[in-house]
């Protein structure tokens, strides 16, 4: 009952690759949807959020992403509910294509949405350049018509059993695979694809690569009520997938900008504005945000080794602090815990909280010693960072500056 996978003749595939039309194949008869690749979509590997996040404000530029699982979509109803853009799954790996793609993709455009296509990566089945070619042949291209978003590469855990973690690739090989896909897409369309992923997968499977933050627009998957944490290399995002349920079919998304910014994204002239948000930290995570949390916990009486690894000792310290602050003791550092944990520091301050500031500034590129003394060098680095983030450049690290530093 799933869509049969029929390899194309080589000559037909070559013609499709050379022509690169908006939709390369005629529409197949529509099969029932029961499983397999039809159930794989952007975010299908994410665990269900324990608490459904509140919907974004009505003023947000909202959108959706769909796959074959949604079948025929009532695009007019989606527009009436407030949608402005959509991403449609086109392909997976080297052989699967969404049998509903033509009607979903063209239906979104006919309803007035800015839309784009996405590819579900299978780095275990072929090289990245070959999958970019297959994606383009199936309609995943881009053109500067003001209504087509750049194609997106979806890299995440495989949602079904039988495929090894990180598709059997080490971080260097995975990074090279993504680069091959992105470079081939740019070579053939003139612009880089967007990248859909989540911070946890990125840390595990690319080793926290920072190679793509300035070239690939980020489509971040976080169903925790905040777009953060972002993967290493990105300081902002273009699209945030907020939930797998809501007023639209498929997954719910918010664009980082105005409707005019959305049109600029389609045209290729968009620069995502900086964003600040309290990251969500839990056991198993690593990085400068974890180190900062460990320093701050020490400032509140803990005795942790600030090694950047969120292990059992850090979880116990978080839980103890949450109990002392009257918070839910879940061992996860979220927005409420951060707001209770941070301390305002400025010139003359000293101690672990200052070390947290210095460590974060160094992670953002400042040349500072992490000595715990808030002197002239630290103040100047704070002021420069505040200026770059359009904050009040007073040299004092209060909640707004902490939030920016942790983003």
């Amino acid at each position: 009952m799933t869509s049969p996978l029929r390899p194309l003749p080589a000559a037909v595939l070559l013609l499709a690759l050379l022509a690169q039309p908006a939709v390369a194949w005629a529409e197949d008869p529509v099969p029932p949807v029961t499983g397999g690749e039809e159930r794989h979509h952007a975010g299908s590997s994410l665990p269900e959020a324990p608490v459904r996040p509140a919907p974004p404000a009505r003023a947000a530029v909202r959108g959706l992403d769909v796959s074959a699982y949604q079948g025929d979509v009532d695009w007019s109803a989606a527009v009436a509910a407030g949608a402005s853009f959509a991403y449609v799954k086109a392909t997976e790996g080297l052989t699967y294509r969404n049998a509903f793609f033509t009607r979903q993709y063209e239906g979104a455009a006919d309803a007035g949405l800015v839309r784009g296509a996405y590819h579900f990566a299978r780095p275990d089945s072929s090289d990245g350049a070959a999958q970019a070619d297959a994606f383009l042949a199936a309609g995943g291209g881009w053109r500067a018509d003001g209504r087509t978003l750049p194609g997106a590469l979806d890299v995440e855990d495989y949602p079904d059993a039988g495929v090894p973690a990180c598709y059997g690739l080490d971080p260097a090989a995975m990074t090279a695979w993504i680069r091959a896909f992105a470079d081939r897409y740019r070579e053939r369309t003139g612009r880089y694809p967007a990248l859909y992923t989540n911070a946890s997968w990125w840390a595990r499977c690319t080793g926290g690569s920072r190679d793509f933050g300035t070239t690939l627009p980020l489509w971040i998957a976080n169903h925790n009520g905040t777009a953060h944490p972002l993967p290493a290399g990105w300081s902002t995002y273009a699209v945030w997938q907020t939930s797998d349920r809501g007023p639209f079919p498929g997954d719910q998304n918010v664009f980082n900008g105005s409707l005019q910014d959305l049109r600029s994204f389609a045209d290729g002239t968009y620069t995502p504005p900086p964003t600040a948000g309290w990251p969500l930290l839990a056991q198993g995570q690593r990085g400068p945000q974890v180190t900062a949390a460990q320093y701050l916990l020490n400032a509140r009486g803990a005795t942790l080794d600030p090694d950047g690894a969120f292990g059992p000792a850090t979880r116990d310290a978080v839980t103890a602090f949450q109990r002392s602050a009257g918070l839910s003791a879940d061992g996860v550092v979220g927005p409420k815990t951060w707001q209770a944990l941070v301390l305002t520091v400025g010139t003359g301050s000293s101690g672990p909280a200052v070390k947290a500031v210095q460590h974060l500034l160094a992670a953002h590129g400042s040349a500072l010693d992490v000595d715990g003394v808030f002197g002239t060098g630290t103040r100047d680095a704070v002021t420069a960072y505040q200026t770059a983030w359009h904050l009040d450049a007073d040299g004092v690290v209060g909640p707004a500056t902490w939030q920016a530093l942790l983003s």
Side-chain angles (χ1 to χ4, degrees), residues 107-287:
D110 290 344
L113 296 176
V114 180
R115 84 287 189 248
Y118 78 88
H119 173 78
F120 193 102
R122 287 296 305 270
D124 57 329
S125 66
S126 76
D127 64 87
Q131 290 193 29
D133 285 336
F135 177 48
L136 288 164
W142 171 79
R143 60 186 64 187
D145 57 7
R147 65 174 189 169
T148 304
L149 298 171
L153 172 64
D154 174 359
V155 284
E156 59 179 305
D157 284 323
Y158 196 69
D160 299 339
V163 174
C166 301
Y167 300 91
L169 302 185
D170 63 26
M174 182 64 75
T175 301
W177 192 97
I178 294 168
R179 183 178 296 109
F181 185 102
D183 287 349
R184 178 61 62 85
Y185 191 89
R186 187 190 186 210
E187 173 189 334
R188 295 196 51 202
T189 67
R191 70 181 297 186
Y192 283 110
L195 183 92
Y196 172 98
T197 195
N198 61 80
S200 175
W201 186 92
W202 194 258
R204 283 186 290 108
C205 296
T206 74
S209 172
R210 294 180 173 271
D211 291 358
F212 306 102
T214 59
T215 54
L216 307 189
L218 177 64
W219 178 7
I220 181 65
N222 272 329
H223 298 178
N224 56 29
T226 172
H228 297 266
L230 302 181
W234 284 271
S235 60
T236 187
Y237 62 91
V239 179
W240 168 28
Q241 186 189 79
T242 63
S243 180
D244 61 358
R245 67 203 75 176
F248 310 133
D251 301 310
Q252 317 298 296
N253 294 271
V254 175
F255 179 72
N256 184 15
S258 65
L259 282 172
Q260 181 56 53
D261 291 328
L262 179 64
R263 288 187 281 271
S264 296
F265 186 37
D267 288 337
T269 58
Y270 163 75
T271 300
T275 62
W278 299 108
L280 195 72
L281 301 184
Q283 188 168 330
Q285 291 179 245
R286 294 175 175 269

